[in-house]
């Protein structure tokens, strides 16, 4: 059994200024494409489109704030067809699209300043879904559902 990767996206929003009020500051901790390890769960039969692969990753989002800190560990399952009418979806393409979408979705979700970790994860998943639908035909983004998929995590060094 291969030990899981520890993967985290750490995004921080800080209050700046002498009185504790100010503007939000930048983000750190880009998630690498390798955080999304796709595993075939439904084989493709024949020449037609079909088959299915899934990646499961826990992504930790953090907003550091003096007045409203929030941290959430969001379970993300990304499913894509092995082959669509337009052709196959290579793992590397799915991984790169997922990593880019995760970075952008984290930024967007945190910028909405959700009050709870549940709200932060919901916003994150919704943004990821929207971003990936334009890049990967037939994509599905949700919390973990598919059983038996090796899961990854990310933690900054």
């Amino acid at each position: 059994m291969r030990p899981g990767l520890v993967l985290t996206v750490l995004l921080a929003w800080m209050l700046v200024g002498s009185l504790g009020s100010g503007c939000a500051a930048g983000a750190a901790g880009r998630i690498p494409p390798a955080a999304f390890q796709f595993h075939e769960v439904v084989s493709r039969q024949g020449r037609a489109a079909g088959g299915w692969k899934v990646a499961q990753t826990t992504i930790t989002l953090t907003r550091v704030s003096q007045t409203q800190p929030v941290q959430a560990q969001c379970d993300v399952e990304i499913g894509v067809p092995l082959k669509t009418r337009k052709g196959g979806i290579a793992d590397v393409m799915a991984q790169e699209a997922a990593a880019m979408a995760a970075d952008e979705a984290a930024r967007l979700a945190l910028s909405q300043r959700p009050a709870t970790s549940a709200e932060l994860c919901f916003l994150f998943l919704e943004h990821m879904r929207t971003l990936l639908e334009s890049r990967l035909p037939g994509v599905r983004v949700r919390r973990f559902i598919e059983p038996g998929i090796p899961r990854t995590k990310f933690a900054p060094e």
Side-chain angles (χ1 to χ4, degrees):
M1 180 174 172
R2 186 182 82 180
L5 299 173
V6 180
L7 297 155
T8 301
V9 172
L10 176 60
L11 297 171
W13 287 90
M14 299 178 183
L15 293 176
V16 179
S18 62
L19 298 176
S21 63
C23 60
R30 297 219 178 262
I31 191 163
F36 299 95
Q37 294 296 313
F38 285 89
H39 300 274
E40 188 175 312
V41 294
V42 177
S43 296
R44 186 172 65 87
Q45 303 294 321
R47 294 180 157 166
W52 195 252
K53 58 187 168 187
V54 170
Q56 293 181 342
T57 304
T58 298
I59 299 174
T60 301
L61 303 173
T62 302
R63 182 181 62 234
V64 178
S65 168
Q66 292 177 355
T67 58
Q68 195 180 31
V70 66
Q71 183 174 55
Q73 291 191 354
C74 304
D75 294 338
V76 181
E77 179 177 291
I78 299 173
V80 295
L82 296 175
K83 184 178 179 183
T84 69
R85 289 178 298 205
K86 295 181 180 182
I89 298 177
D91 284 357
V92 69
M93 184 175 102
Q95 289 174 309
E96 289 173 3
M100 288 175 18
D103 289 339
E104 181 68 8
R107 188 186 66 73
L108 291 169
L110 287 165
S111 72
Q112 292 182 263
R113 304 198 54 77
T116 67
S117 60
E119 184 183 3
L120 178 55
C121 280
F122 175 79
L123 290 169
F124 177 70
L125 287 171
E126 287 300 306
H127 287 305
M128 274 204 71
R129 180 178 300 112
T130 301
L131 292 163
L132 283 173
E133 283 175 345
S134 65
R135 297 177 184 156
L136 298 174
V139 72
R140 188 174 3 180
V141 179
R142 58 190 182 181
R143 294 177 187 247
F144 293 165
I145 292 181
E146 189 69 42
I149 302 298
R151 297 173 178 169
T152 60
K153 296 180 182 182
F154 178 77
E157 294 181 1

